[in-house]
Amino acid sequence: MAYKVDHEYDYLFKIVLIGDSGVGKSNILSRFTRNEFALDSKSTIGVEFATRTLQVEGKTVKAQIWDTAGQERYRAITSAYYRGAVGALLVYDITKRQTFDNVLRWLHELRDHADSNIVIMMVGNKSDLNHLRAVSAEDAQGLAESESLSFMETSALEAYNVEKAFQTVLLDIYKIIRKKALAAQESGTGVPHGTTINVNNMSENGTKKPCCST
Ligand SMILES: Nc1nc2c(ncn2[C@@H]2O[C@H](COP(=O)(O)OP(=O)(O)OP(=O)(O)O)[C@@H](O)[C@H]2O)c(=O)[nH]1
Ligand SMILES: [Mg+2]
């Protein structure tokens, strides 16, 4: 979902949160959208979403962030969840090796269901629990590089890097959209400013007649 509209914001970007149960997806969401954190948060059931509007390269961007349960039995129908998403935060817990080992499974799911151009950031959450660390930043960086993902460690508890992770994803999405818009303009899909259009060569609905090349 990357609509351009006229009023309160320039762009609306849908971003999905994925990763195993308990890694901190819902707290990353509440930290980013409401600056809140709960030590005793319950497992998500079904789908929730929250929004936050912020500036990216001088544009007003509304980020609509979707959150679902990591636990299979509570998850919402996958294809609807991913539909229209232009970004994803794939979260694991740096203190639980299994959640990192499952990153590849989540990547497969993303590649099966989401748009192939989706921007993906791998997030190692709970960096405040460094004394319980089970996944080194080097291992994670290695996986991120081999899978062409960006990577950051965060702490929803300490509000560390949460803002930066979303900002980075939103900026990457924005850059892709800008590039597409420019490419469309250059290939003639869009009409560049100052171009004279010869209406004699146009059919009634405004498309070019196949007969007449200029
Ligand atoms: N120490 C620490 N605990 C965290 C952090 N983020 C989340 N937690 C805790 O981890 C537990 C699970 O967090 P949730 O945000 O509910 O996890 P989730 O990924 O949404 O889980 P599901 O909804 O079941 O998929 C909660 O007890 C949180 O308080 C963090 O950055 N540091
Ligand atoms: Mg949750």
Side-chain angles (χ1 to χ4, degrees), residues 64-184:
Q64 185 186 70
I65 302 138
W66 293 47
D67 177 28
T68 188
Q71 254 174 296
E72 194 86 41
R73 66 193 163 119
Y74 291 137
R75 279 169 62 201
I77 306 156
T78 317
S79 54
Y81 187 68
Y82 292 113
R83 190 171 305 132
V86 287
L89 256 60
L90 200 179
V91 187
Y92 69 91
D93 176 343
I94 67 150
T95 72
K96 297 225 161 61
R97 186 77 202 185
Q98 185 65 44
T99 67
F100 177 68
D101 293 340
N102 282 338
V103 162
L104 282 176
R105 289 178 52 187
W106 287 105
L107 267 181
H108 284 304
E109 180 162 312
L110 262 180
R111 290 180 174 145
D112 280 351
H113 295 281
D115 188 281
S116 56
N117 288 323
I118 192 166
V119 171
I120 308 169
M121 153 119 19
M122 185 172 78
V123 170
N125 190 40
K126 309 195 187 181
S127 67
D128 55 285
L129 300 177
N130 200 34
H131 53 294
L132 300 174
R133 182 185 284 276
V135 182
S136 71
E138 291 70 31
D139 277 6
Q141 190 64 51
L143 178 65
E145 274 164 27
S146 65
E147 296 295 330
S148 308
L149 316 170
S150 31
F151 164 63
M152 233 172 246
E153 286 193 351
T154 60
S155 167
L157 185 148
E158 292 181 338
Y160 169 71
N161 267 352
V162 172
E163 185 86 17
K164 196 167 165 194
F166 281 103
Q167 279 278 3
T168 305
V169 167
L170 291 168
L171 182 61
D172 287 351
I173 296 167
Y174 177 71
K175 283 188 191 153
I176 290 174
I177 295 222
R178 283 292 305 155
K179 217 157 108 186
K180 272 193 194 157
L182 289 173

Side-chain angles (χ1 to χ4, degrees), residues 19-28 37-44 67-71 125-129 154-157:
D20 282 5
S21 181
V23 296
K25 299 180 296 297
S26 299
N27 276 283
I28 287 174
F37 178 85
L39 262 178
D40 57 348
S41 64
K42 303 216 162 46
S43 256
T44 307
D67 177 28
T68 188
Q71 254 174 296
N125 190 40
K126 309 195 187 181
S127 67
D128 55 285
L129 300 177
T154 60
S155 167
L157 185 148

